[in-house]
Amino acid sequence: MSIPRPLAAVFGLLALSVAVSAQAQETLRIGYQKSSTLITLLKTQGTLEKALKADNIDVSWHEFPSGLPLLEALNVGNVDISADVADTVPIFAQAAQAKLTYFAQEAPSPSAQAIVVRKDSPIEQLADLKGKKIAVTKAAGTHYLLIAALNKAGLAFADIEPAYLSPADGRAAFENNKVDAWVTWEPFLTSVQRQLPTRTLADGAGLASYKRYYLTGTPYATAHPQVLKVVYAQLEQAGQWVKTHPQEAAKVLGPLWGNLDVATVEAANTHRSYQVQPVTVDQLGEQQKIADAFFRAGLLPRAVDAKDVQTWKP
C-alpha cells in the first residue's frame, strides 16, 4: 500500500525535523575537582544547564582528583572545559604541548594554601625542612608554594624528599606521621587545621599569589565562544553569591566536600577570593616565574613560554 504524496511529504518533514534537532543537541563536558567551588555550585544548583538550555546544550560532569589529570583530559579532548585549576597546572600542560585557551581566572588567594606541620613537630622554620619528607600534590599550586618557600630559606627542591600524593592520601600520610609536613589548599587546609593539632609554617603570602584559572582547548574556544560567554557569566554570579551568602554556600558545599561542617567550609571560603575576571596575556608574569622555577628544579621536561597561549575575552 503506497502513502499519498502529501502525507509522505509530511512524514519526510517530520523525519528531517527530528534529525536536525538531534544534530543540534550538543553536550558540554566539564572537568572539575572537589575544590572547584564555583563549578560545583553550578552543578549542584543546576543553573548552568538552565542557562544553556536555550542553546540546546546539555552538560556532563567529570570529576578528577587534582588539576593535572584534569588538564591531561582536556588536552586529549575528553572534556571541553576545565573548572578552576591552580596556576601551576597550565604550565605542566604547556610542557606537554597542550593547546590551551584561558577563559577566566579567580583573583589571587595566597592564604588559601599553606605548609603545615604537626603541633609537636621539631620543624620551627622553613630551613628546618631540609632532609624532611613532605607530602605535596604534583603540579598543584602547593607544589610551587613549596619550591618558593624552600628558595626563601636558601634550600633547593632536591634538599627535601617529596611524597607526591593526592589531597586525600596526603591527609592520611600527615595524620599517620608518614610525612614530616604537608602542603595543601582549601578546603583541605582549614579542615586539617580545625581537626588536628597543627602549626602553619607558611602560607602563600609573599611567596605565591595562587590564582586559579579556567581553561579550554583552543579549538573549542574558537568554535564555541557563545558557550564560554554563558559559562563565564554563570561563574561570575556564583562567585558573588558565595561571598554574599557564606552560610548558605557552606551548607551546599559541606556535604560535597566530605561532609565538612558549616563553620569549616565558611572559614575555608574566606581564604578564596572567588572574584571571577577575564585573563590577558600581559597578566601572566607570575606564570612565567612558576614555569622557570619548575624548569630550574628539573621538574619540567623543557622550558615553557607562559605567554604562548590563547586568551578569550568575555
Side-chain angles (χ1 to χ4, degrees):
M1 176 178 156
S2 62
I3 300 174
R5 285 185 181 179
L7 199 54
V10 170
F11 285 155
L13 287 172
L14 285 172
L16 179 60
S17 174
V18 170
V20 169
S21 177
Q23 289 173 0
Q25 188 71 39
E26 296 181 26
T27 298
L28 171 63
R29 301 167 300 167
I30 299 177
Y32 70 102
Q33 311 169 65
K34 281 193 185 301
S35 57
S36 301
T37 308
L38 303 186
I39 283 288
T40 301
L41 285 172
L42 295 181
K43 176 180 183 293
T44 304
Q45 297 173 336
T47 50
L48 186 57
E49 283 94 339
K50 291 175 186 175
L52 290 170
K53 187 176 182 180
D55 295 320
N56 214 23
I57 296 172
D58 291 328
V59 181
S60 64
W61 305 91
H62 308 269
E63 185 176 340
F64 293 81
S66 62
L68 189 57
L70 170 49
L71 283 205
E72 287 171 350
L74 182 70
N75 188 28
V76 299
N78 289 338
V79 295
D80 299 312
I81 70 172
S82 85
D84 52 307
V85 295
D87 39 21
T88 53
V89 184
I91 298 301
F92 279 79
Q94 281 187 261
Q97 300 184 319
K99 298 299 181 184
L100 302 175
T101 293
Y102 290 77
F103 74 89
Q105 66 179 340
E106 290 179 17
S109 302
S111 64
Q113 54 179 0
I115 304 170
V116 294
V117 297
R118 289 178 293 278
K119 195 169 186 177
D120 61 355
S121 171
I123 299 172
E124 297 288 344
Q125 55 188 353
L126 292 173
D128 296 335
L129 293 173
K130 186 173 184 178
K132 298 299 190 289
K133 188 174 185 179
I134 303 172
V136 64
T137 301
K138 188 174 184 180
T142 49
H143 200 169
Y144 176 64
L145 171 60
L146 178 56
I147 292 174
L150 292 171
N151 182 66
K152 181 181 179 181
L155 300 175
F157 194 75
D159 290 327
I160 58 100
E161 180 186 351
Y164 291 125
L165 298 171
S166 68
D169 290 339
R171 167 68 183 257
F174 182 75
E175 193 166 349
N176 292 297
N177 295 318
K178 302 295 185 183
V179 294
D180 299 296
W182 183 29
V183 199
T184 192
W185 66 93
E186 296 294 5
F188 313 106
L189 176 59
T190 294
S191 176
V192 73
Q193 288 171 330
R194 292 173 67 93
Q195 295 172 3
L196 295 176
T198 65
R199 284 187 288 108
T200 299
L201 206 59
D203 64 15
L207 294 171
S209 65
Y210 189 52
K211 289 184 179 181
R212 294 184 69 88
Y213 290 102
Y214 298 79
L215 299 107
T216 183
T218 299
Y220 190 87
T222 301
H224 300 280
Q226 181 58 32
V227 174
L228 295 183
K229 185 176 182 179
V230 173
V231 174
Y232 184 93
Q234 289 295 314
L235 289 171
E236 262 192 323
Q237 291 175 27
Q240 293 164 4
W241 184 80
V242 172
K243 287 301 187 180
T244 56
H245 300 79
Q247 191 170 72
E248 289 179 57
K251 288 178 180 178
V252 174
L253 293 166
L256 304 174
W257 287 354
N259 291 317
L260 290 180
D261 62 274
V262 170
T264 296
V265 178
E266 273 199 79
N269 281 341
T270 63
H271 299 144
R272 289 276 296 273
S273 72
Y274 295 128
Q275 185 180 349
V276 176
Q277 302 172 332
V279 182
T280 59
V281 172
D282 61 3
Q283 295 174 324
L284 299 177
E286 188 170 20
Q287 291 297 89
Q288 191 61 57
K289 291 180 182 178
I290 293 169
D292 294 343
F294 276 109
F295 185 65
R296 283 194 303 269
L299 299 170
L300 282 181
R302 64 185 184 90
V304 167
D305 179 358
K307 294 184 178 181
D308 186 20
V309 292
Q310 300 295 316
T311 60
W312 173 87
K313 296 179 181 179

